[in-house]
Amino acid sequence: MKLFHSLTLNLRPAIGLGVLLAGLVPTLAFAQAEKSDSPAKAEAAAKLPPAKEVIAKFVKAIGGAEAFAKVTSQHAKGKFEMAAQGITGDLEVFAKRPHKLEVKINIPAIGDIATCHDGKVGWSVNAATGPALMEGKQLAQMQEEADFDHILHDAKDFKSMETLEIAQFEGHECYKLKLVRKSDAELTE
């Protein structure tokens, strides 16, 4: 089984970097949580490993928290997609310890969108709306995502963690997780 990391857009980019467990290939993907009350799904869910166990295997597969602590920066490229709106584009993420993050999205016919955090201040530059400083919940969410070690999913940062199902990602079976941060932000990975 492989764990994939998701990127969820909820009127602001919430960015994550991930690694497929088996292949250790960096990936970015989009996913939406699906709810079902069917008995078959309930039975299947009962056989799934706890989310904390899936995350522990992921952390072990990337060399452990101690090895990850030696990583000082990350750079990833991928595709951005909002399927319901028919919008796609290129995505580029730059991250640096301890709390620096820049996410660039290029959407044809719209232009570039950049969302950044320098450790204290969060801002965005949007081709359609111009520059803006982040405040309140938007800034708090960006600070959570800019935490370089957020990929380790420390249980103390979450209200709940659950394994939803086995899903397909790029032709591989993966565990799909639902994580709820203490700030109530929901992640599907």
Side-chain angles (χ1 to χ4, degrees):
M1 258 335 121
K2 298 179 183 182
L3 171 70
F4 69 92
H5 194 80
S6 74
L7 174 67
T8 305
L9 284 183
N10 211 358
L11 301 178
R12 53 99 190 137
I15 303 304
L17 298 172
V19 180
L20 289 174
L21 281 179
L24 297 178
V25 178
T27 63
L28 292 171
F30 293 90
Q32 293 180 338
E34 297 175 14
K35 294 182 180 178
S36 174
D37 295 326
S38 74
K41 280 226 176 196
E43 184 179 328
K47 296 178 183 178
L48 295 172
K52 287 181 182 179
E53 183 179 310
V54 175
I55 291 167
K57 286 181 181 180
F58 164 75
V59 171
K60 183 178 178 184
I62 64 170
E66 296 79 23
F68 188 73
K70 296 175 185 176
V71 176
T72 59
S73 65
Q74 292 183 344
H75 175 232
K77 291 183 178 185
K79 295 292 180 187
F80 167 87
E81 180 180 20
M82 292 176 67
Q85 292 80 10
I87 298 173
T88 61
D90 294 320
L91 172 79
E92 193 166 15
V93 179
F94 300 88
K96 186 173 181 178
R97 280 193 189 279
H99 301 286
K100 295 182 180 180
L101 178 65
E102 179 179 8
V103 180
K104 294 180 179 181
I105 300 172
N106 178 276
I107 302 172
I110 294 176
D112 292 333
I113 299 170
T115 305
C116 308
H117 189 271
D118 68 0
K120 295 180 184 175
V121 178
W123 69 94
S124 64
V125 179
N126 184 321
T129 62
L133 285 175
M134 294 181 185
E135 297 177 315
K137 284 186 176 184
Q138 187 182 31
L139 178 59
Q141 289 172 335
M142 186 64 172
Q143 288 168 332
E144 287 176 341
E145 292 301 329
D147 176 5
F148 197 83
D149 290 323
H150 83 276
I151 192 170
L152 301 175
H153 299 87
D154 190 335
K156 72 175 176 48
D157 296 330
F158 296 91
K159 285 183 177 179
S160 66
M161 301 174 145
E162 70 176 299
T163 306
L164 297 176
E165 65 182 350
I166 296 174
Q168 290 290 316
F169 178 72
E170 294 186 353
H172 300 280
E173 285 190 339
C174 307
Y175 291 112
K176 186 175 182 179
L177 307 180
K178 178 181 175 185
L179 310 174
V180 180
R181 293 186 189 268
K182 288 189 175 180
S183 66
D184 289 327
E186 289 187 15
L187 307 173
T188 304
E189 302 189 349

